[in-house]
Amino acid sequence: MYTEENNDGIYIEKQVRVPTFTMTYEHSHDFCEIFYLRTGSCIYSVNNSIYHLAAGDLFIVTPGDTHCTRYEGLVPCERIVVYFNPDVLPDSYWQSHPEINSGLSRSGKVVLAKKGRLQLEVLLNQMLEENNIPDEYSYEFLTLQVMSLLLSLQRNGIFVYEQIKPAAGINISTDIEDALR
């Protein structure tokens, strides 16, 4: 199994957090983090900006950006996170797809329609299986799957870099926030 301590520049993990879980510290790392919230809701803080994530939302954190997470709501929060060092992808990939490199140039939310989320979940499940039961081909498969993931996000996602935050003292329901997104 690939882990944070034992990997070749790519690993993926799934965790379930209780709604009261709070990461008490901001941290950063030298790899890209693709955070997908499968169930529940959370507050994602990146570089002192606050984002609300609901089930089906995805967030990309670029290397070096400080971030932390606070879970909320009444149901357990399942998240899948892909960590990868951009250097593991071939130079030819980045040269062929400069728009992907541009999309990863700063942290932000990626909004996906239902079809895009369904495709994403299939790919993430394949990546989890490859990560958790590795063999001599797993690194190559994970590399290809990260490239597919980034292409899929570019094709099906809308990159949102500004936080959606109501004015001070105004509470917006999640339905209205979803419509704004």
Side-chain angles (χ1 to χ4, degrees):
M1 178 198 272
Y2 292 119
T3 65
E4 185 174 356
E5 294 78 30
N6 176 27
N7 65 72
D8 293 319
I10 301 172
Y11 75 101
I12 181 169
E13 67 179 7
K14 177 174 77 169
Q15 290 184 336
V16 177
R17 301 280 197 201
V18 294
T20 57
F21 179 86
T22 299
M23 183 178 291
T24 58
Y25 60 94
E26 287 191 338
H27 68 283
S28 66
H29 31 70
D30 59 355
F31 45 84
C32 189
E33 177 176 313
I34 299 175
F35 179 99
Y36 178 68
L37 189 63
R38 185 178 271 171
T39 62
S41 62
C42 70
I43 302 297
Y44 211 88
S45 173
V46 180
N47 294 330
N48 298 316
S49 293
I50 306 295
Y51 299 86
H52 178 265
L53 301 181
D57 283 344
L58 185 135
F59 202 93
I60 296 175
V61 181
T62 58
D65 283 355
T66 59
H67 58 284
C68 66
T69 312
R70 179 172 49 91
Y71 295 88
E72 60 182 12
L74 302 173
V75 298
C77 303
E78 182 180 333
R79 69 181 184 92
I80 299 173
V81 184
V82 176
Y83 305 94
F84 75 96
N85 182 333
D87 294 337
V88 302
L89 302 184
D91 289 339
S92 61
Y93 179 80
W94 296 117
Q95 292 165 0
S96 297
H97 303 289
E99 71 283 3
I100 292 175
N101 199 24
S102 176
L104 294 176
S105 66
R106 57 193 247 203
S107 296
K109 195 172 188 177
V110 180
V111 178
L112 295 162
K114 184 175 182 179
K115 178 184 173 189
R117 282 195 313 268
L118 293 173
Q119 291 173 349
L120 174 73
E121 291 220 10
V122 168
L123 183 55
L124 290 174
N125 285 332
Q126 291 170 345
M127 293 176 77
L128 280 166
E129 184 175 328
E130 202 64 56
N131 185 86
N132 294 339
I133 309 170
D135 61 24
E136 66 270 21
Y137 304 107
S138 293
Y139 177 74
E140 286 81 6
F141 272 111
L142 284 170
T143 302
L144 292 170
Q145 289 165 329
V146 167
M147 291 189 289
S148 293
L149 173 63
L150 295 174
L151 285 169
S152 179
L153 293 178
Q154 192 66 39
R155 173 189 277 171
N156 300 311
I158 298 171
F159 289 70
V160 180
Y161 298 107
E162 286 75 33
Q163 61 184 329
I164 299 172
K165 185 176 170 187
I170 298 175
N171 292 323
I172 294 180
S173 75
T174 54
D175 291 336
I176 293 173
E177 185 178 338
D178 288 343
L180 288 172
R181 284 195 312 240

